[in-house]
Amino acid sequence: MYARHRFGYIWRVSSTSNTDAVFVPRVGAHVGSSGGVSKAIGRAREIGANCLQIFASAPQQWRSPAHPDAEVEAFRDGVREHDLAPVYLHAVYLLNPAGPDAELREKSVRSMREYLSWGERLGVSGVVIHLGSSNNTTPEEAAANLCRSLDAALQEPSSVPLLLETSAGTRNSMGSSFAAIGSLLKQLDAGQRAGVCVDTAHIWAAGYDIATPEGLQRTLDEFETEIGLEKLALMHANDSKVPLGAARDRHENIGEGYIGTAGWQVLLSHPALRAKPWVMETPGPARKGPDAAQVALLRQLWSGGSPALNS
Ligand SMILES: [Zn+2]
Ligand SMILES: [Zn+2]
């Protein structure tokens, strides 16, 4: 049973009759794109995902994305044919658009621009980036660097939004508070082309209690005040291996971490979040990424069901 919905961005509404529109929840995962971006389509379908995220290039390298036209076309056709939108690109891990190293900032800008350009070609709904680290510079200097870098990246002619991912609050990391992200968005010249990706494991580690109804409401109220919920484009659905506020980035399988099954029921039933796309980056049972059971579990929790006792 799907609930009808009036919040957020509705990706697809299928009709059971002329008068009754039914919302289709978007539940998916980060899937591998090795061997070509079109390979991601089969990998997503295999696990029952109906939205997905990929890297456009090796995430630990600066090498530019390169995909033959036939691959790009096959990817776009696959997304359309199998109803897999929205799809996202996740930027490489090497970015530091905030730090004191000017050369590294320049490389980060170039990489973000390439991803925005490839994102346009691949027809994605956003490029997710990490905001980097202030390293040994002052928070003010780092915030100014970050703002300049993102504005430079957004010079790229592309209709794809840059999605700023919340961080876990590890030492010197940028973007671990909604206030910091909100103030950055307000300072950007091209702020209308930027949105936010909330990673549940990260905000939990950064001290936002999202596992109780009161805590989640407080969290979303703060998000609304500092950023605005209309900017919330994507949820990274990850449980956490570390307790609330532990400031470490350690993803766990849904329901198996400190957010827990009860926490996921709270998260997935909140009216401001239900219509968002949920993309998992969990380790999975075999440490090879989320499997069909993980996707099914998240979908079941979204529907208000209890997890099946089959493990
Ligand atoms: Zn990320
Ligand atoms: Zn993470």
Side-chain angles (χ1 to χ4, degrees), residues 166-177 202-203 205-206 246-249:
T166 53
S167 79
T170 45
R171 215 162 81 84
N172 298 333
S173 73
M174 306 294 288
S176 63
S177 78
H202 297 177
I203 63 170
R248 284 192 300 145
D249 182 3

Side-chain angles (χ1 to χ4, degrees), residues 53 90 93 128-130 165 199 202 236 281:
Q53 173 182 284
H90 194 296
Y93 290 136
V128 179
I129 59 157
H130 295 178
E165 183 173 342
D199 184 312
H202 297 177
H236 276 172
E281 301 167 317

Side-chain angles (χ1 to χ4, degrees), residues 15-76:
S15 226
T16 48
S17 76
N18 288 338
T19 52
D20 195 17
V22 174
F23 175 73
V24 179
R26 291 292 154 176
V27 175
H30 184 101
V31 292
S33 51
S34 59
V37 281
S38 73
K39 295 277 194 299
I41 303 295
R43 290 172 186 144
R45 296 187 64 216
E46 231 163 73
I47 58 170
N50 66 350
C51 64
L52 63 103
Q53 173 182 284
I54 57 171
F55 296 119
S57 58
Q60 310 283 9
Q61 296 176 18
W62 286 113
R63 193 146 25 103
S64 303
H67 306 284
D69 289 349
E71 266 298 306
V72 172
E73 208 173 309
F75 179 79
R76 296 184 70 120

Side-chain angles (χ1 to χ4, degrees), residues 18 73 88 108 116-117 138 165 185 199 213 255 271 303:
N18 288 338
E73 208 173 309
Y88 299 91
S108 303
L116 286 170
S117 167
T138 64
E165 183 173 342
L185 283 169
D199 184 312
S303 306

Side-chain angles (χ1 to χ4, degrees), residues 13 16-17 21 25 33 40 64 66 78-79 87 101 105 116 150 157 161 172 189 191 200 210 226 277 281 292 300 303:
V13 170
T16 48
S17 76
S33 51
S64 303
V79 169
V87 297
D101 180 343
R105 288 202 306 273
L116 286 170
L150 298 194
N172 298 333
D189 291 334
T200 51
I210 47 175
E226 301 292 349
E281 301 167 317
Q300 189 175 21
S303 306

Side-chain angles (χ1 to χ4, degrees), residues 1-5 22-27 264-265 267-270 273-278 295-306:
M1 260 315 204
Y2 298 127
R4 240 171 287 158
H5 224 278
V22 174
F23 175 73
V24 179
R26 291 292 154 176
V27 175
W264 284 99
Q265 279 164 335
L267 271 165
L268 291 161
S269 63
H270 197 287
L273 299 180
R274 279 172 69 76
K276 305 296 179 188
W278 296 81
V295 175
L297 172 61
L298 200 62
R299 210 180 284 285
Q300 189 175 21
L301 289 165
W302 188 96
S303 306
S306 302

Side-chain angles (χ1 to χ4, degrees), residues 210-285:
I210 47 175
T212 62
E214 311 73 45
L216 178 61
Q217 193 54 55
R218 250 194 326 273
T219 299
L220 292 175
D221 288 347
E222 184 176 332
F223 193 100
E224 172 66 6
T225 305
E226 301 292 349
I227 300 172
L229 280 165
E230 74 286 352
K231 284 285 194 189
L232 176 49
L234 168 64
M235 299 298 292
H236 276 172
N238 302 310
D239 210 324
S240 173
K241 273 194 210 300
V242 299
L244 177 65
R248 284 192 300 145
D249 182 3
R250 301 283 308 282
H251 297 190
E252 181 53 285
N253 295 329
I254 303 298
E256 294 173 24
Y258 278 90
I259 295 175
T261 302
W264 284 99
Q265 279 164 335
V266 168
L267 271 165
L268 291 161
S269 63
H270 197 287
L273 299 180
R274 279 172 69 76
K276 305 296 179 188
W278 296 81
V279 168
M280 274 183 282
E281 301 167 317
T282 54

